[in-house]
Amino acid sequence: MENKIALVTGILGAIVSYMFDLVGVAVSILILFMLADYITGLVAAGINKELNSRVGLTGFARKMYILVLIGMIYALEFTASHYAEFDIFGGYIGDGAAFAYIAIEFISIAENGVKMGAPMPPFVKNILKIVKEKAGLKEEGDQNENN
């Protein structure tokens, strides 16, 4: 389910980027979401006494990998359009990928909020429940359902 959300968000993000000519803005937004996810993850781990430097470093490394991957998508689009005279939507595929990861980061931020016991709007709880059910996972917030 998370992959489907990312796919739809990525396609819509590429379209929005094309419509408003905002190539590259999605990466700035992604970095903001990644920072928020990392910080909320640290806070949730601290509250639950689960802080682990190895887990934190692994999470950071994954986020850096995602940024490198998206950078490579932009580089391929640039190379194709400028050197091979083959325009692949002028950077909008990179923006689409960034928007897909923004959706994934949002889900993770919401999950971190549940782990912290923070109040969560019902529609966000429903989205998380659907994603976890589709992924075949037990919902994190089951024991904190009354929050």
Side-chain angles (χ1 to χ4, degrees), residues 6 11 24 27 45 57 64 83 95-96 98 127 131 133 137:
I11 291 169
V27 174
L57 183 60
M64 293 303 102
Y83 297 107
D95 281 359
I127 291 171
V131 168
E133 285 174 359
L137 302 172

Side-chain angles (χ1 to χ4, degrees), residues 17-87:
S17 180
Y18 174 76
M19 288 173 53
F20 296 103
D21 199 26
L22 297 173
V23 173
V25 174
V27 174
S28 299
I29 296 168
L30 175 60
I31 291 169
L32 177 66
F33 272 68
M34 286 178 156
L35 180 61
D37 179 42
Y38 195 77
I39 290 170
T40 58
L42 287 175
V43 171
I47 288 172
N48 294 311
K49 296 178 177 28
E50 298 172 345
L51 273 175
N52 182 323
S53 59
R54 184 175 191 90
V55 171
L57 183 60
T58 300
F60 182 78
R62 286 181 180 153
K63 291 185 184 318
M64 293 303 102
Y65 168 77
I66 290 166
L67 291 174
V68 168
L69 179 66
I70 291 173
M72 295 298 97
I73 292 169
Y74 282 116
L76 285 172
E77 286 182 298
F78 176 82
T79 302
S81 67
H82 285 82
Y83 297 107
E85 296 180 16
F86 181 69
D87 190 9

Side-chain angles (χ1 to χ4, degrees), residues 4 12 14 18-19 28 38 49 61 73 86-88 93 101 112-113 123 130 134-135 145:
K4 289 179 184 176
L12 292 175
Y18 174 76
M19 288 173 53
S28 299
Y38 195 77
K49 296 178 177 28
I73 292 169
F86 181 69
D87 190 9
I88 313 174
I93 293 174
Y101 280 108
N112 290 338
F123 79 92
I130 291 168
K134 294 289 184 181
E145 194 61 34

